[in-house]
Amino acid sequence: MNKDRKLIIAGNWKMNKTVAEALDLVNGLKRELGTVKEVDIVVCPPYTALESVSKAIIDSNLRLGAQNMSAHNVGAFTGEVASVMLKEFSVRYVILGHSERRQHQKESNALIAQKALAVHAAALKPIVCVGETLAEREGGQTEQVLETQIRGSLAGLSHDQMEESVVAYEPIWAIGTGKTASTQQAQDAHAFIRQVLASMFNEGVAKQVRIQYGGSVKPNNARELMSQPDVDGALVGGAALTVRDFADIIKNSI
Ligand code: 13P
């Protein structure tokens, strides 16, 4: 694929996989994808499987991501996990502001921005999620919603930090529904996000940032989505839970 930005395809396992199941999955992925160099491949297991998966993928081309991180470094924050703890397991990426956390944990753009700064302070890379609901899309508010999320969730990052960040466009109506955004809808939203980044930072920075699409990505739609000029990868939920589907998404994207 002839794009300046390297594709990044990440599996967000959400609240799935015991340690034994996680090991089965990554060992299968290593077998299937061991020689792939064209795509940055990231797996994001639940916290409880990070240590085992980390050991299993040492010396492989798979990289490790976490699904969330505290904005704080240490202290009285029951149930939270700090950057230093993730770094013990060689985590490289952290998903932030997934719509499920925005909805269930009431995460705000301001909190996500604080977390993004903490992720960078630890020399990790955030994958910052944005996306509109069906009602917002049908109400013609998609661009306004995306702009507010992008400006709010990435506020305060330096140019260098922004270039090292990944944005995931996940229309909420496409998550886990089997309804994928059309390639045109995805491309339009990605181009719009890049335009907002250019106005917040500059054109050069906006050109560097990788923007993933997420929402019912499957082996049979990955190629067309990835062929769009502003789609630089995928954040995969359900189809990241089996070796066959996740490996095929990556092979079909190359
Ligand atoms: P699905 O691929 O299951 O639609 O989930 C997408 C997602 O939320 C990834 O973060």
Side-chain angles (χ1 to χ4, degrees):
M1 186 156 309
N2 191 12
K3 228 180 276 186
D4 291 342
R5 296 173 294 268
K6 189 174 183 188
L7 284 180
I8 175 164
I9 299 184
N12 174 10
W13 296 4
K14 307 191 181 183
M15 198 173 71
N16 292 286
K17 305 291 179 188
T18 62
V19 169
E21 291 165 347
L23 287 174
D24 274 352
L25 178 51
V26 282
N27 287 329
L29 293 175
K30 277 196 325 188
R31 275 196 302 276
E32 288 283 330
L33 299 169
T35 58
V36 172
K37 302 215 164 24
E38 300 88 337
V39 180
D40 287 334
I41 306 170
V42 185
V43 289
C44 306
Y47 288 139
T48 46
L50 283 177
E51 180 172 16
S52 327
V53 170
S54 174
K55 287 181 181 149
I57 64 177
I58 282 181
D59 296 331
S60 84
N61 55 340
L62 303 183
R63 297 286 169 264
L64 194 58
Q67 298 176 19
N68 177 40
M69 195 188 94
S70 174
H72 302 282
N73 290 329
V74 67
F77 299 100
T78 301
E80 294 290 294
V81 171
S83 60
V84 67
M85 301 164 186
L86 299 181
K87 288 184 68 117
E88 283 188 300
F89 302 131
S90 307
V91 165
R92 310 277 186 98
Y93 296 88
V94 184
I95 299 172
L96 293 180
H98 191 280
S99 59
E100 288 150 15
R101 294 198 62 85
R102 289 179 185 263
Q103 186 192 342
H104 303 303
Q105 275 75 33
K106 306 280 175 273
E107 291 199 358
S108 66
N109 290 319
L111 175 66
I112 295 159
Q114 268 186 305
K115 290 185 176 194
L117 286 169
V119 165
H120 280 294
L124 301 169
K125 295 180 203 293
I127 298 177
V128 177
C129 303
V130 296
E132 79 287 359
T133 63
L134 186 59
E136 288 163 345
R137 175 162 283 269
E138 288 177 343
Q141 296 169 299
T142 299
E143 293 195 344
Q144 187 201 317
V145 169
L146 293 179
E147 178 155 9
T148 302
Q149 290 177 338
I150 289 285
R151 288 189 181 277
S153 309
L154 300 167
L157 293 189
S158 69
H159 287 206
D160 286 351
Q161 288 171 333
M162 189 64 236
E163 286 184 1
E164 294 293 316
S165 302
V166 177
V167 173
Y169 169 60
E170 297 207 316
I172 293 168
W173 47 272
I175 295 177
T177 57
K179 241 194 236 176
T180 320
S182 70
T183 46
Q184 196 56 50
Q185 285 171 324
Q187 168 55 27
D188 289 350
H190 284 226
F192 176 74
I193 289 167
R194 207 177 294 288
Q195 193 186 311
V196 175
L197 292 174
S199 98
M200 274 180 85
F201 298 90
N202 62 38
E203 289 282 347
V205 171
K207 276 208 181 89
Q208 294 289 323
V209 176
R210 294 184 291 181
I211 307 177
Q212 297 174 313
Y213 169 78
S216 298
V217 176
K218 306 287 177 216
N220 64 8
N221 59 26
R223 188 188 306 274
E224 206 187 330
L225 285 162
M226 297 308 123
S227 70
Q228 298 301 305
D230 287 293
V231 178
D232 310 311
L235 186 55
V236 185
L241 298 177
T242 64
V243 174
R244 186 72 278 138
D245 281 351
F246 194 59
D248 282 348
I249 285 171
I250 288 161
K251 290 177 184 172
N252 292 348
S253 299
I254 298 170

